[in-house]
PDB file of all heavy atoms in Angstrom:
ATOM      1  N   VAL K  13     -30.190  34.101  78.492  1.00 94.00           N
ATOM      2  CA  VAL K  13     -30.767  34.139  77.137  1.00 94.00           C
ATOM      3  C   VAL K  13     -32.050  34.970  77.116  1.00 94.00           C
ATOM      4  O   VAL K  13     -32.312  35.723  76.176  1.00 94.00           O
ATOM      5  CB  VAL K  13     -31.048  32.687  76.649  1.00 94.00           C
ATOM      6  CG1 VAL K  13     -31.929  32.676  75.414  1.00 94.00           C
ATOM      7  CG2 VAL K  13     -29.738  31.964  76.359  1.00 94.00           C
ATOM      8  N   ALA K  47     -30.676  24.426  68.557  1.00 98.00           N
ATOM      9  CA  ALA K  47     -29.633  24.453  69.593  1.00 98.00           C
ATOM     10  C   ALA K  47     -28.587  23.387  69.295  1.00 98.00           C
ATOM     11  O   ALA K  47     -28.893  22.308  68.760  1.00 98.00           O
ATOM     12  CB  ALA K  47     -30.240  24.214  70.971  1.00 98.00           C
ATOM     13  N   ALA K  60     -26.172   7.737  84.470  1.00 94.00           N
ATOM     14  CA  ALA K  60     -26.518   9.110  84.892  1.00 94.00           C
ATOM     15  C   ALA K  60     -26.463  10.056  83.693  1.00 94.00           C
ATOM     16  O   ALA K  60     -27.319  10.935  83.537  1.00 94.00           O
ATOM     17  CB  ALA K  60     -25.567   9.584  85.987  1.00 94.00           C
ATOM     18  N   THR K  90     -19.578  26.938  55.277  1.00 96.00           N
ATOM     19  CA  THR K  90     -18.675  27.890  54.602  1.00 96.00           C
ATOM     20  C   THR K  90     -19.378  28.765  53.569  1.00 96.00           C
ATOM     21  O   THR K  90     -18.720  29.567  52.905  1.00 96.00           O
ATOM     22  CB  THR K  90     -17.519  27.149  53.890  1.00 96.00           C
ATOM     23  OG1 THR K  90     -18.085  26.298  52.874  1.00 96.00           O
ATOM     24  CG2 THR K  90     -16.701  26.319  54.861  1.00 96.00           C
ATOM     25  N   GLN K  93     -22.742  33.498  52.365  1.00 93.00           N
ATOM     26  CA  GLN K  93     -23.911  34.174  52.932  1.00 93.00           C
ATOM     27  C   GLN K  93     -24.041  33.908  54.437  1.00 93.00           C
ATOM     28  O   GLN K  93     -24.700  34.652  55.149  1.00 93.00           O
ATOM     29  CB  GLN K  93     -25.197  33.673  52.244  1.00 93.00           C
ATOM     30  CG  GLN K  93     -25.251  33.878  50.733  1.00 93.00           C
ATOM     31  CD  GLN K  93     -25.369  35.345  50.363  1.00 93.00           C
ATOM     32  OE1 GLN K  93     -26.134  36.083  50.968  1.00 93.00           O
ATOM     33  NE2 GLN K  93     -24.593  35.778  49.385  1.00 93.00           N
ATOM     34  N   PRO K 107     -13.839  27.042  51.316  1.00 96.00           N
ATOM     35  CA  PRO K 107     -15.118  26.623  50.735  1.00 96.00           C
ATOM     36  C   PRO K 107     -14.895  25.555  49.663  1.00 96.00           C
ATOM     37  O   PRO K 107     -13.854  25.535  49.012  1.00 96.00           O
ATOM     38  CB  PRO K 107     -15.665  27.918  50.103  1.00 96.00           C
ATOM     39  CG  PRO K 107     -14.877  29.027  50.702  1.00 96.00           C
ATOM     40  CD  PRO K 107     -13.541  28.456  51.043  1.00 96.00           C
ATOM     41  N   TYR K 126      -6.044  17.717  58.030  1.00 91.00           N
ATOM     42  CA  TYR K 126      -5.578  17.003  56.837  1.00 91.00           C
ATOM     43  C   TYR K 126      -5.974  17.770  55.570  1.00 91.00           C
ATOM     44  O   TYR K 126      -5.173  17.962  54.651  1.00 91.00           O
ATOM     45  CB  TYR K 126      -6.191  15.598  56.833  1.00 91.00           C
ATOM     46  CG  TYR K 126      -5.758  14.715  55.690  1.00 91.00           C
ATOM     47  CD1 TYR K 126      -4.628  13.901  55.803  1.00 91.00           C
ATOM     48  CD2 TYR K 126      -6.482  14.667  54.493  1.00 91.00           C
ATOM     49  CE1 TYR K 126      -4.230  13.080  54.760  1.00 91.00           C
ATOM     50  CE2 TYR K 126      -6.091  13.849  53.446  1.00 91.00           C
ATOM     51  CZ  TYR K 126      -4.964  13.055  53.582  1.00 91.00           C
ATOM     52  OH  TYR K 126      -4.579  12.242  52.544  1.00 91.00           O
ATOM     53  N   THR K 161     -23.313  21.328  47.795  1.00 98.00           N
ATOM     54  CA  THR K 161     -22.688  20.038  48.104  1.00 98.00           C
ATOM     55  C   THR K 161     -22.804  19.088  46.921  1.00 98.00           C
ATOM     56  O   THR K 161     -23.891  18.861  46.404  1.00 98.00           O
ATOM     57  CB  THR K 161     -23.367  19.397  49.340  1.00 98.00           C
ATOM     58  OG1 THR K 161     -23.172  20.250  50.466  1.00 98.00           O
ATOM     59  CG2 THR K 161     -22.799  18.028  49.647  1.00 98.00           C
ATOM     60  N   VAL K 171     -24.876   2.373  63.653  1.00 85.00           N
ATOM     61  CA  VAL K 171     -26.021   2.569  62.757  1.00 85.00           C
ATOM     62  C   VAL K 171     -27.256   2.230  63.576  1.00 85.00           C
ATOM     63  O   VAL K 171     -27.519   1.071  63.874  1.00 85.00           O
ATOM     64  CB  VAL K 171     -25.921   1.664  61.499  1.00 85.00           C
ATOM     65  CG1 VAL K 171     -27.154   1.827  60.628  1.00 85.00           C
ATOM     66  CG2 VAL K 171     -24.651   1.978  60.714  1.00 85.00           C
ATOM     67  N   GLY K 174     -30.822   1.415  60.450  1.00 89.00           N
ATOM     68  CA  GLY K 174     -30.267   0.926  59.180  1.00 89.00           C
ATOM     69  C   GLY K 174     -31.185   1.158  57.987  1.00 89.00           C
ATOM     70  O   GLY K 174     -30.773   1.738  56.975  1.00 89.00           O
ATOM     71  N   LYS K 190     -25.448  12.524  43.787  1.00 96.00           N
ATOM     72  CA  LYS K 190     -24.359  12.824  44.733  1.00 96.00           C
ATOM     73  C   LYS K 190     -23.862  11.515  45.361  1.00 96.00           C
ATOM     74  O   LYS K 190     -24.654  10.790  45.956  1.00 96.00           O
ATOM     75  CB  LYS K 190     -24.849  13.759  45.847  1.00 96.00           C
ATOM     76  CG  LYS K 190     -25.275  15.136  45.353  1.00 96.00           C
ATOM     77  CD  LYS K 190     -25.793  16.018  46.491  1.00 96.00           C
ATOM     78  CE  LYS K 190     -26.336  17.338  45.951  1.00 96.00           C
ATOM     79  NZ  LYS K 190     -26.801  18.243  47.009  1.00 96.00           N
ATOM     80  N   GLN K 227     -25.938  -2.569  49.089  1.00 92.00           N
ATOM     81  CA  GLN K 227     -27.317  -2.519  48.547  1.00 92.00           C
ATOM     82  C   GLN K 227     -27.785  -1.093  48.291  1.00 92.00           C
ATOM     83  O   GLN K 227     -28.481  -0.820  47.317  1.00 92.00           O
ATOM     84  CB  GLN K 227     -28.292  -3.170  49.539  1.00 92.00           C
ATOM     85  CG  GLN K 227     -28.380  -4.672  49.422  1.00 92.00           C
ATOM     86  CD  GLN K 227     -29.439  -5.214  50.369  1.00 92.00           C
ATOM     87  OE1 GLN K 227     -30.446  -4.553  50.633  1.00 92.00           O
ATOM     88  NE2 GLN K 227     -29.227  -6.408  50.881  1.00 92.00           N
TER      89      GLN K 227
END
Side-chain angles (χ1 to χ4, degrees):
V13 167
T90 62
Q93 301 291 316
Y126 182 89
T161 298
V171 177
K190 296 178 185 182
Q227 276 184 32

